[in-house]
Structures are given as structure tokens and as C-alpha cells.
């Protein structure tokens, strides 16, 4: 909000992954309050836009840098996922963190999300899909019996 001291206040932009606009606003004020010592009363949200994927039908390797609070302290982490969209990879991350580390969504802070080229991936469970001759065999196929005795 413009004041007498500061006619043109700075604008802060963030990319926040949230299920809806209300949660996105709440997370924005949470992060801005931590990073810039700004409160909801001294600022205003200019716009909220949903960012759509440029190529949603192309599979991508996505790296996610995050921080989460566990029962023993704060931990930084890097995770990799394969998905069609960035939002899908972030959703996978939230579910994976809940399953493996019992971390709630409120205790996870996503710091950076980037598309990772195949040559730069680190995790074995992602690298296994980079083979051009990969096959998914259907083992133990049992034919349907047409006539029961």
C-alpha cells in the first residue's frame, strides 16, 4: 500500500502451489511475513493467477527442493518426480512426504521447482525410465475360460 514515505512500494512475486485461492493467499502472507517482515495490514495482493503448463502432454523430469519440519527438527531435501505437469509432480511430492516422513502439507515449504534434463537426474527410480528400449511386459496373463464345466 503506498504511504507518504514510500510512494511506489516494491512488488513481490511468488509461485505458490495450493489447492485454491484462499490457501494461496494465506501461504503468500506466511512466506512474505518470514522473508520481508511485512504484515497483511501493511500490504495488499495485486493479483493471483493460475499458471498453466506449456506442454501438458509431454512427460517431464521435475526436481523439487523443499524444507519440512519433522518431529526432530527442520530438514532440507531434494526430490525428483516424473509427471506431465509441474502441479502433478508437486502433488506427488506432498503425498510422498506424507507417506514416507509423516509430514503434513502445512509443515512443507517448497523452495524451488525446476524441470531437470534426463542427463542431470540423480535418483535411480527416475533414471530407470530413460532407456529408449524400455518395455513393460505383461506377465502371467491368464486367458478367460469361455465355457465353465
Amino acid at each position: 500500500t503506498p504511504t507518504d514515505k514510500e510512494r511506489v512500494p516494491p512488488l513481490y512475486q511468488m509461485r505458490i502451489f495450493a489447492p485454491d485461492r484462499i490457501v494461496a493467499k494465506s501461504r503468500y502472507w506466511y512466506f512474505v511475513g518470514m522473508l520481508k517482515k511485512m504484515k497483511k495490514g501493511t500490504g495488499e495482493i495485486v493479483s493471483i493467477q493460475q499458471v498453466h503448463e506449456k506442454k501438458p502432454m509431454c512427460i517431464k523430469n521435475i526436481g523439487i527442493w523443499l524444507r519440512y519440519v519433522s518431529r526432530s527438527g527442520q530438514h532440507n531435501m531434494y526430490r525428483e518426480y516424473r509427471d506431465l505437469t509441474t502441479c502433478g509432480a508437486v502433488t506427488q511430492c506432498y503425498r510422498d512426504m506424507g507417506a514416507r516422513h509423516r509430514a503434513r502439507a502445512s509443515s512443507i515449504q517448497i523452495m524451488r521447482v525446476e524441470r531437470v534434463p534426463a542427463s542431470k537426474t540423480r535418483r535411480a527410480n527416475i533414471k530407470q525410465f530413460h532407456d529408449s528400449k524400455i518395455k513393460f511386459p505383461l506377465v502371467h496373463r491368464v486367458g478367460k475360460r469361455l465355457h465353465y464345466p
Side-chain angles (χ1 to χ4, degrees):
T1 309
T3 60
D4 294 335
K5 228 185 238 186
E6 201 170 17
R7 293 278 179 206
V8 183
L11 290 173
Y12 300 109
Q13 179 182 0
M14 282 187 196
R15 190 166 71 164
I16 295 174
F17 298 93
D20 57 8
R21 295 170 66 92
I22 293 128
V23 176
K25 283 182 187 180
S26 174
R27 298 298 285 167
Y28 174 79
W29 287 120
Y30 172 76
F31 289 125
V32 165
M34 272 197 325
L35 297 170
K36 296 293 178 184
K37 299 292 183 190
M38 193 167 75
K39 294 189 297 186
K40 197 173 179 179
T42 59
E44 67 176 290
I45 294 176
V46 178
S47 74
I48 300 173
Q49 296 175 346
Q50 185 176 359
V51 179
H52 297 285
E53 201 78 28
K54 287 179 183 170
K55 293 183 179 179
M57 298 306 290
C58 175
I59 190 86
K60 295 171 246 336
N61 304 313
I62 295 167
I64 299 175
W65 287 261
L66 59 97
R67 175 188 298 136
Y68 78 101
V69 180
S70 72
R71 294 181 184 117
S72 59
Q74 279 197 355
H75 308 283
N76 293 325
M77 194 177 280
Y78 169 75
R79 305 187 73 82
E80 285 178 351
Y81 297 97
R82 278 176 67 84
D83 207 299
L84 294 171
T85 63
T86 307
C87 292
V90 169
T91 302
Q92 276 188 52
C93 179
Y94 276 120
R95 291 185 180 156
D96 197 33
M97 289 297 292
R100 292 178 193 270
H101 302 281
R102 301 293 185 260
R104 307 290 181 266
S106 59
S107 67
I108 298 171
Q109 298 175 12
I110 293 178
M111 295 185 286
R112 196 166 95 195
V113 178
E114 279 184 11
R115 188 172 173 182
V116 181
S119 59
K120 303 265 187 198
T121 54
R122 305 180 201 172
R123 306 291 183 246
N125 63 335
I126 300 299
K127 284 184 178 184
Q128 69 182 347
F129 294 108
H130 294 156
D131 184 13
S132 61
K133 295 185 175 82
I134 192 167
K135 292 181 180 179
F136 298 98
L138 300 170
V139 296
H140 193 66
R141 301 278 305 237
V142 178
K144 193 192 296 187
R145 291 181 13 199
L146 295 174
H147 306 289
Y148 293 108

